[in-house]
């Protein structure tokens, strides 16, 4: 109990700084989760560009093309003047200027569909390429109808009619209720938050506890190293558990619709295992360093490094194989690997086996780090 009481006396000394870290990273976690959910919410919609059409043919065919493009883009009025067009493009008043030359209708009636139009656009712009593809699609469809034997008039009308058919498209991720997405993103970013909070708050406390003065007093007492480490790990675990519990309670309050169910249970177990690993890692680092200020640097370096390499900030699906090989040696990878499976888990034996494997790897990391920390502590005490 001596170690236990001493630990929480040291905690009182750091309570102000611990509270600041906790509040800052909690707000950060909520903001990151909220921003990602907003990005993923809603249905898919085309982005409209500013398009100017210069019609020099003034035929029914050119008007059909203009009508079709006006349904897809924002049409801007513009005079048929070279200087006016150059200024509009330079000032980005328009993204694309389409010129329908005289004789456009005659060329189509003759079956010529190549090089029918002219354009002026922002070089290598997405909007320019996008409009080019729409115009190309229009002419390919028109050409198909003509080759099928339809008259040019019918071909133009049918092309406009077919291409005007639209479909409401929902992104695959939107099939998940928004409350579940919020919860998933909250626990995804909790990786970075837990690493920073535990390292930056528990780390300095352990370093202070392992200072020469306190260590000398402990060594002079009848308390064995085994009991000291046991109570020190117990105290650290209780402190960290309390910090983690606050995050869990907030998740249950804010995302209560999704939290009280299978998804919330899996996320909670996963985050608890990662918490244990983080405590073990902090215990090891505190046995190696003597400067409490270094934990700020370690917390941010390790937190950001794992977050970028293991899929917290950047999806693992777009990472190269070499990066993933490196990420596999980090515990956050196994946390995210399990986390990414929660949304599609259907209680199948195969899915459960994979998730339990991810849980087991995190537990092995925690046990290994604790053992290494105990060995380092023993060696330092023997050499002191």
């Amino acid at each position: 109990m001596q170690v236990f009481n001493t630990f929480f006396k040291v905690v009182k000394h750091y309570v102000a700084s611990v509270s600041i870290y906790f509040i800052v990273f909690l707000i950060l976690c909520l903001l990151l989760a909220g921003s990602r959910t907003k990005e993923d919410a809603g249905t898919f919609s085309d982005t409209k560009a500013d398009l100017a059409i210069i019609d020099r043919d003034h035929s029914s065919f050119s008007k059909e093309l203009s009508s079709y493009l006006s349904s897809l883009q924002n049409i801007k009025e513009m005079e048929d003047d070279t200087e006016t067009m150059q200024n509009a493009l330079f000032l980005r008043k328009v993204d694309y200027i389409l010129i329908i030359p005289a004789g456009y209708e005659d060329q189509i009636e003759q079956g010529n569909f190549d090089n029918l139009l002219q354009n002026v656009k922002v070089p290598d712009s997405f909007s320019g390429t996008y409009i080019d593809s729409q115009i190309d699609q229009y002419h390919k469809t028109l050409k198909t109808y003509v080759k099928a034997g339809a008259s040019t008039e019918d071909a133009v009308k049918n092309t406009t009619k077919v291409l005007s058919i639209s479909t409401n498209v929902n992104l695959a991720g939107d099939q998940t209720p928004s409350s579940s997405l919020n919860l998933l993103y909250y626990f995804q970013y909790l990786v970075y938050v837990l690493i920073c909070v535990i390292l930056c708050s528990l780390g300095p406390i352990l370093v202070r506890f392992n200072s020469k003065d306190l260590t000398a007093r402990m060594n002079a007492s009848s308390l064995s190293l085994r009991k000291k480490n046991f109570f020190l790990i117990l105290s650290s675990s209780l402190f960290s558990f309390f910090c983690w519990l606050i995050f869990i309670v907030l998740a249950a309050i804010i995302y209560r619709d999704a939290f009280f169910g299978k998804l919330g249970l899996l996320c909670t177990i996963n985050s608890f295992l990662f918490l244990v690993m983080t405590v073990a890692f902090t215990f090891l680092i505190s046995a190696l360093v003597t400067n409490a200020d270094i934990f700020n640097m370690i917390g941010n370096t390790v937190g950001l490094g794992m977050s970028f390499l293991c899929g917290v900030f950047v999806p693992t699906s777009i990472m190269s194989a070499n990066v993933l090989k490196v990420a596999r040696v980090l515990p956050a990878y196994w946390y995210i690997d399990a986390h990414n499976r929660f949304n599609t888990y259907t209680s199948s034996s195969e899915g459960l086996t994979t998730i339990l494997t991810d849980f087991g790897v995190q537990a092995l990391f925690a046990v290994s780090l604790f053992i290494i920390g105990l060995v380092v502590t023993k060696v330092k005490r023997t050499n002191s």
Side-chain angles (χ1 to χ4, degrees):
M1 292 299 293
Q2 181 183 0
V3 176
F4 192 84
N5 293 332
T6 305
F7 179 90
F8 283 99
K9 285 181 181 179
V10 177
V11 170
K12 289 182 181 180
H13 180 75
Y14 284 95
V15 66
S17 58
V18 169
S19 299
I20 292 174
Y21 280 121
F22 188 85
I23 294 172
V24 168
F25 286 114
L26 175 61
I27 294 173
L28 178 63
C29 184
L30 292 172
L31 289 176
L32 287 172
S35 64
R36 281 296 299 270
T37 306
K38 288 179 180 178
E39 290 175 6
D40 293 340
T43 56
F44 174 82
S45 60
D46 288 331
T47 300
K48 292 188 175 183
D50 293 328
L51 169 67
I53 300 177
I54 307 298
D55 187 357
R56 296 173 180 171
D57 193 49
H58 302 291
S59 62
S60 58
F61 286 10
S62 65
K63 290 178 181 177
E64 285 286 348
L65 175 61
S66 299
S67 177
Y68 165 68
L69 292 174
S70 65
S71 66
L72 302 175
Q73 309 298 340
N74 296 321
I75 302 300
K76 300 291 184 179
E77 297 293 333
M78 183 173 296
E79 296 180 6
D80 188 0
D81 177 74
T82 301
E83 185 176 352
T84 301
M85 288 189 284
Q86 290 175 343
N87 290 334
L89 203 62
F90 177 77
L91 298 173
R92 296 298 188 268
K93 293 181 179 180
V94 294
D95 301 305
Y96 192 105
I97 301 174
L98 175 66
I99 302 174
I100 305 176
Y104 172 74
E105 183 175 2
D106 294 336
Q107 292 291 327
I108 292 178
E109 289 179 340
Q110 294 172 15
N112 182 15
F113 294 90
D114 298 325
N115 302 319
L116 291 175
L117 305 173
Q118 303 169 11
N119 66 73
V120 184
K121 58 187 176 182
V122 178
D124 300 322
S125 65
F126 170 78
S127 57
T129 304
Y130 186 43
I131 296 173
D132 281 338
S133 67
Q134 290 175 334
I135 296 173
D136 185 56
Q137 182 186 28
Y138 180 89
H139 284 135
K140 283 183 178 179
T141 305
L142 181 60
K143 186 177 181 180
T144 300
Y145 273 110
V146 171
K147 285 190 173 183
S151 64
T152 51
E153 291 81 3
D154 290 339
V156 170
K157 291 180 181 179
N158 290 333
T159 297
T160 304
K161 183 179 179 180
V162 168
L163 294 179
S164 297
I165 298 173
S166 61
T167 303
N168 292 326
V169 179
N170 291 319
L171 296 178
D174 292 334
Q175 296 173 359
T176 303
S178 59
S179 57
S180 298
L181 285 175
N182 284 329
L183 184 68
L184 285 169
Y185 283 129
Y186 179 88
F187 277 96
Q188 178 176 321
Y189 290 114
L190 197 59
V191 170
Y192 173 69
V193 175
L194 280 177
I195 292 174
C196 292
V197 167
I198 300 302
L199 274 170
C200 295
S201 59
L202 179 62
I205 295 173
L206 291 176
V207 169
R208 175 73 179 272
F209 197 87
N210 291 329
S211 63
K212 290 183 178 180
D213 292 338
L214 281 176
T215 301
R217 291 179 184 179
M218 292 292 179
N219 292 340
S221 68
S222 59
L223 189 68
S224 65
L225 178 62
R226 180 178 296 178
K227 286 187 177 180
K228 174 194 171 183
N229 285 333
F230 171 77
F231 284 111
L232 188 59
I233 292 174
L234 178 62
S235 304
S236 302
S237 299
L238 286 175
F239 170 81
S240 304
F241 178 80
F242 178 75
C243 294
W244 169 82
L245 188 61
I246 294 177
F247 285 109
I248 299 303
V249 171
L250 285 172
I253 294 173
I254 299 172
Y255 311 117
R256 56 185 177 276
D257 293 339
F259 183 83
F260 295 100
K262 178 182 66 178
L263 182 61
L265 177 61
L266 290 172
C267 288
T268 301
I269 296 172
N270 200 29
S271 64
F272 179 76
L273 290 171
F274 192 80
L275 170 75
V276 176
M277 185 285 306
T278 306
V279 174
F281 179 70
T282 306
F283 181 77
L284 171 61
I285 297 300
S286 67
L288 295 172
V289 303
T290 57
N291 185 0
D293 296 332
I294 200 172
F295 276 95
N296 290 325
M297 180 187 71
I298 295 175
N300 284 287
T301 302
V302 174
L304 289 173
M306 282 196 186
S307 297
F308 279 108
L309 286 173
C310 301
V312 177
F313 295 152
V314 181
T316 54
S317 58
I318 65 173
M319 292 183 181
S320 66
N322 291 331
V323 173
L324 291 177
K325 287 180 181 178
V326 175
R328 284 178 177 273
V329 303
L330 301 173
Y333 171 85
W334 302 97
Y335 175 95
I336 293 297
D337 187 66
H339 181 81
N340 289 340
R341 299 176 190 276
F342 293 160
N343 192 30
T344 56
Y345 174 59
T346 58
S347 301
S348 64
S349 57
E350 182 180 356
L352 180 60
T353 301
T354 304
I355 291 174
L356 290 178
T357 300
D358 292 331
F359 287 173
V361 173
Q362 291 182 72
L364 287 175
F365 268 107
V367 172
S368 302
L369 291 171
F370 268 128
I371 292 174
I372 297 172
L374 292 172
V375 171
V376 171
T377 302
K378 186 175 182 178
V379 170
K380 289 185 70 175
R381 180 169 181 175
T382 302
N383 296 332
S384 61

